[in-house]
Amino acid sequence: MDIFSAMLARLDTEARDRLMRAMRTPAVVSGLEPHEILVYGAGEDGRAAVIARERFGADPEVLAGRTGRAYALDAGHGWYALAESVRGLLAQARREPSTVFLLTPVGLGEHAPGSIAAMFAHAPANIVLPALYADALGRR
């Protein structure tokens, strides 16, 4: 167990959630701890998608769901496909409360950051938001 997991295990649920909600996904995720998963926009050619494929074993054919050490959100087939894949991520995160899902900005070529952030307004604390979405939700 790494030091972060050991520290979280000692906190009560409320304190753990406060700590997790204060965290932000780094602008560039270059490595993952054993308990972390990179969440990226599949169908996009952005930095996070490239990193997911090259460093974390994401399969470029997977448009939504777990792939390698990553989780794909379908960001290339419209709003409803993105929303459906976000629902899948929220369910997965609730099933795996000890896993930290590092969300990168997705779908920004087609959608406003505030619209996408709203999908994560009630996300479990183990989904770490990028600053762009946290700011849109008024989380400082």
Side-chain angles (χ1 to χ4, degrees):
M1 177 181 292
D2 62 45
I3 193 163
F4 182 78
S5 297
M7 181 187 74
L8 284 181
R10 292 179 168 212
L11 297 174
D12 63 52
T13 303
E14 186 177 322
R16 178 184 184 274
D17 286 356
R18 276 196 316 273
L19 176 66
M20 294 297 297
R21 290 193 193 287
M23 292 177 62
R24 299 291 170 255
T25 302
V28 177
V29 178
S30 57
L32 294 172
E33 296 295 328
H35 63 278
E36 294 176 329
I37 297 292
L38 177 70
V39 181
Y40 70 100
E44 296 181 324
D45 292 323
R47 181 172 38 193
V50 171
I51 290 171
R53 289 190 300 268
E54 292 179 357
R55 294 191 186 162
F56 306 125
D59 181 342
E61 301 296 317
V62 175
L63 295 177
R66 216 46 196 268
T67 175
R69 302 249 347 260
Y71 193 101
L73 296 177
D74 187 348
H77 293 95
W79 180 257
Y80 293 107
L82 177 59
E84 186 62 30
S85 60
V86 168
R87 279 191 286 280
L89 171 64
L90 297 176
Q92 185 79 27
R94 288 184 180 102
R95 284 192 300 271
E96 295 183 43
S98 63
T99 300
V100 175
F101 294 85
L102 299 173
L103 177 65
T104 62
V106 298
L108 297 178
E110 298 179 30
H111 311 291
S115 298
I116 297 170
M119 292 188 209
F120 295 96
H122 302 289
N126 61 327
I127 295 180
V128 177
L129 302 178
L132 180 67
Y133 294 170
D135 291 347
L137 293 172
R139 296 181 187 168
R140 305 280 181 238

